Amino acid sequence: MALPVLSSSAVKFRRVLAHFPQELSLAFAYGSGVFRQAGASAEHGENNMLDFVFAVDDAVTWHTSNLLKNRSHYSFLKFFGPKRITTIQRYGAGIYYNTLVPCNDRMIKYGVISTDALIEDLFHWKTLYVAGRLQKPVKILAQNENSKLQAALVSNLKSAVTAAFLMLPESFSEEDLYMQIAGLSYSGDFRMIIGEDKSKVQNIVKPNVAHFQKLYSNILQDCPQVVYKHHLGRLEASIDKSPEGQFTQLMALPKTLQQKITALVNPPGKNRDVEEILLQVAHDPDCGFVVNQGISGIVRSSSIVQSAKTILTAGAKKSLTYSMKKLYKMTKGGLKKTS
């Protein structure tokens, strides 16, 4: 995660961080303002809004401090106080965003999530919202010595590789793998229908293969089904697509995804256990499609609720401005493809 990003240095990101309460278990920057995306000029990346996520152990205490320091960042919800803000934070993906905030001559957006909610998402893919962000390269700005959080971050990456293996054919390229991983958190997201550039996943991966290699090299080197020639930056994969191989991978998936797959396959009224159903899916020629449908189900529900929350957390005016910017980017991406 320490590879070069856009010319904005870590110092610039940390100057932004200095504006906020420092009780953070994890803080990271992500998105097109941090990592260059295909089709965007360097100047465009430098002017993009900077996106941050702050994980905090005690959300009420953190919002209390932040309201004292940065009251103007909040919508009308500031009048209801930190406890109500924290209650709203828990809905959807468990994250509270303040958006279109001017800071150090840039526009920023920052989300606040409790450490416990983040750990649950990383281990179990409850919403795949912040876990999905962390399956792609990010710029870590602060991280405390929370061993459970560190284990959850690694678990999330391993789960992403396992899910991708199930959805990919027996043999594939390294770029194919990263494309599959990067697309996990967009699968089922209604914003990919309206509001996001349809080439978003490709635009994220192609200029940032080196960053993905840095993120996943240790996991791939330890994977028996992959020959990862790190010195050549090349991957040779031959995935076991036998029912036994797929069953092993299905059993290693996060709990929420296993439950979603079970709900898709198990007819109403039948109370079979998860292991029995996953064994059935492992024998299904469409196993990868079923896994994809399970992921889509997780992402769809969390993205709808989280987007609805934006009207409250950002306020109507900022929500409209933010949505129009997204639509502009989507339209621009579509025009580039047709020209």
Side-chain angles (χ1 to χ4, degrees):
M1 293 186 199
L3 290 175
V5 291
L6 292 176
S7 58
S8 305
S9 65
V11 173
K12 187 176 285 188
F13 294 126
R14 290 195 175 94
R15 281 178 184 156
V16 171
L17 211 61
H19 288 266
F20 298 94
Q22 296 302 294
E23 295 77 20
L24 304 169
S25 59
L26 180 71
F28 64 89
Y30 67 94
S32 58
V34 185
F35 294 91
R36 187 160 296 133
Q37 295 189 5
S41 65
E43 293 79 11
H44 179 70
E46 293 290 348
N47 293 324
N48 274 2
M49 184 161 63
L50 291 174
D51 297 310
F52 298 88
V53 167
F54 305 147
V56 301
D57 290 342
D58 186 331
V60 175
T61 300
W62 195 91
H63 283 297
T64 300
S65 299
N66 199 43
L67 281 163
L68 290 170
K69 288 170 72 78
N70 301 302
R71 191 172 178 81
S72 64
H73 295 183
Y74 291 82
S75 69
F76 68 93
L77 291 174
K78 59 178 167 272
F79 298 111
F80 293 92
K83 287 185 179 178
R84 185 61 56 88
I85 286 170
T86 301
T87 299
I88 291 167
Q89 178 179 307
R90 293 190 188 108
Y91 286 101
I95 188 165
Y96 186 103
Y97 271 105
N98 284 325
T99 190
L100 294 174
V101 173
C103 184
N104 294 359
D105 301 319
R106 290 288 291 269
M107 279 293 179
I108 71 166
K109 177 180 76 174
Y110 64 94
V112 183
I113 186 170
S114 77
T115 307
D116 288 343
L118 175 58
I119 288 171
E120 184 176 21
D121 197 30
L122 291 167
F123 272 130
H124 304 306
W125 288 9
K126 185 180 178 184
T127 69
L128 247 181
Y129 200 87
V130 182
R133 300 275 186 275
L134 287 160
Q135 289 163 0
K136 297 177 273 289
V138 301
K139 182 71 177 175
I140 300 288
L141 305 176
Q143 186 176 355
N144 68 10
E145 298 296 321
N146 185 327
S147 58
K148 190 174 182 183
L149 175 57
Q150 182 56 42
L153 289 164
V154 174
S155 175
N156 179 46
L157 298 179
K158 288 180 177 178
S159 296
V161 170
T162 301
F165 282 174
L166 283 160
M167 291 187 284
L168 286 163
E170 187 175 347
S171 298
F172 50 84
S173 70
E174 186 173 11
E175 190 174 291
D176 290 338
L177 174 63
Y178 300 145
M179 289 279 285
Q180 192 73 60
I181 288 171
L184 293 175
S185 61
Y186 296 115
S187 178
D189 190 336
F190 79 98
R191 292 171 300 176
M192 293 303 289
I193 302 170
I194 181 166
E196 290 285 6
D197 183 352
K198 302 302 183 292
S199 305
K200 189 174 183 72
V201 173
Q202 183 175 309
N203 292 346
I204 289 169
V205 174
K206 283 192 175 293
N208 294 298
V209 168
H211 292 288
F212 277 92
Q213 288 174 333
K214 180 76 173 176
L215 193 55
Y216 286 98
S217 62
N218 288 342
I219 291 166
L220 294 174
Q221 283 169 358
D222 291 340
C223 182
Q225 299 183 71
V226 168
V227 177
Y228 189 64
K229 299 180 177 178
H230 184 62
H231 60 292
L232 299 174
R234 192 153 52 85
L235 173 150
E236 293 175 4
S238 182
I239 304 303
D240 184 359
K241 289 292 178 179
S242 70
E244 294 78 12
Q246 294 194 137
F247 178 66
T248 300
Q249 291 169 355
L250 288 164
M251 289 298 291
L253 291 174
K255 181 176 69 177
T256 306
L257 180 51
Q258 290 181 340
Q259 291 168 345
K260 285 286 183 183
I261 292 169
T262 299
L264 283 169
V265 176
N266 200 30
K270 284 203 172 186
N271 293 315
R272 297 183 296 163
D273 62 33
V274 172
E275 190 170 335
E276 184 184 349
I277 292 162
L278 294 182
L279 185 59
Q280 177 189 327
V281 174
H283 283 80
D284 190 332
D286 293 325
C287 174
F289 176 75
V290 175
V291 172
N292 183 59
Q293 290 299 101
I295 293 169
S296 295
I298 296 170
V299 174
R300 188 180 301 112
S301 56
S302 65
S303 67
I304 289 171
V305 177
Q306 192 62 38
S307 294
K309 263 172 61 175
T310 302
I311 300 168
L312 290 174
T313 60
K317 185 178 177 182
K318 280 188 177 180
S319 295
L320 181 62
T321 303
Y322 183 68
S323 299
M324 292 305 291
K325 285 186 176 182
K326 284 284 187 183
L327 283 168
Y328 172 73
K329 284 173 75 176
M330 179 192 74
T331 308
K332 196 174 177 185
L335 287 172
K336 279 184 181 176
K337 286 183 78 174
T338 55
S339 60

